[in-house]
Amino acid sequence: MVVKKSRFYAHLYEVSSVEEVQEIREQHRKIYRKAAHHCYAARLTLPEGLLEPFGSDGEVGRPGMVLLNLLQREELTSHMIVVSRIFGGIKLGPGNVSRAFRDAAAEAVAAARME
């Protein structure tokens, strides 16, 4: 997805451990080397309960929390969403950044449900 020249790459994964979440985050950093930010959220059902880690990777607008809210709304457990942003030179502001991350993530969820 492109918003004001910034490119957003969203991927939805099925995950079962915290280690798997970390491995996927590292993979995204390698795949999208030009990306300034790699925001993520995950929901893991573990023996000790539900774990919901998220991170905004220094991006404004708390997109990590926005991604977690999307996973919660879609009732996705044992899933992780990662959105990498390659900055296009135009600042979006906190509200537009969060909206762009949410929209890119929603497209990835919709695409996964179509499969």
Side-chain angles (χ1 to χ4, degrees), residues 12-24 41-51 53 76-81:
L12 180 68
Y13 299 95
E14 223 174 304
V15 292
S16 58
S17 69
V18 175
E19 294 79 22
E20 202 172 354
V21 168
Q22 189 60 32
E23 287 172 17
I24 291 169
R43 296 185 79 207
L44 299 164
T45 305
L46 302 174
E48 56 272 14
L50 183 65
L51 182 65
L76 293 170
T77 56
S78 301
H79 284 81
M80 172 185 189
I81 191 130

Side-chain angles (χ1 to χ4, degrees), residues 3 9 11-12 24 48 64-65 75 79 90 94 98 106 109:
V3 177
Y9 298 91
H11 299 272
L12 180 68
I24 291 169
E48 56 272 14
M65 177 61 79
E75 298 180 356
H79 284 81
I90 299 171
S98 293
V109 170

Side-chain angles (χ1 to χ4, degrees), residues 4-72:
K4 294 187 179 180
K5 297 184 182 180
S6 284
R7 291 176 290 169
F8 294 84
Y9 298 91
H11 299 272
L12 180 68
Y13 299 95
E14 223 174 304
V15 292
S16 58
S17 69
V18 175
E19 294 79 22
E20 202 172 354
V21 168
Q22 189 60 32
E23 287 172 17
I24 291 169
R25 290 180 63 210
E26 289 172 14
Q27 287 174 358
H28 269 260
R29 291 191 181 285
K30 291 177 185 174
I31 294 168
Y32 299 104
R33 291 177 195 255
K34 292 184 179 182
H37 304 282
H38 306 274
C39 302
Y40 79 98
R43 296 185 79 207
L44 299 164
T45 305
L46 302 174
E48 56 272 14
L50 183 65
L51 182 65
E52 298 181 316
F54 65 92
S56 297
D57 197 26
E59 182 66 275
V60 299
R62 299 194 46 150
M65 177 61 79
V66 171
L67 298 176
L68 179 59
N69 290 338
L70 175 69
L71 291 175
Q72 293 167 338

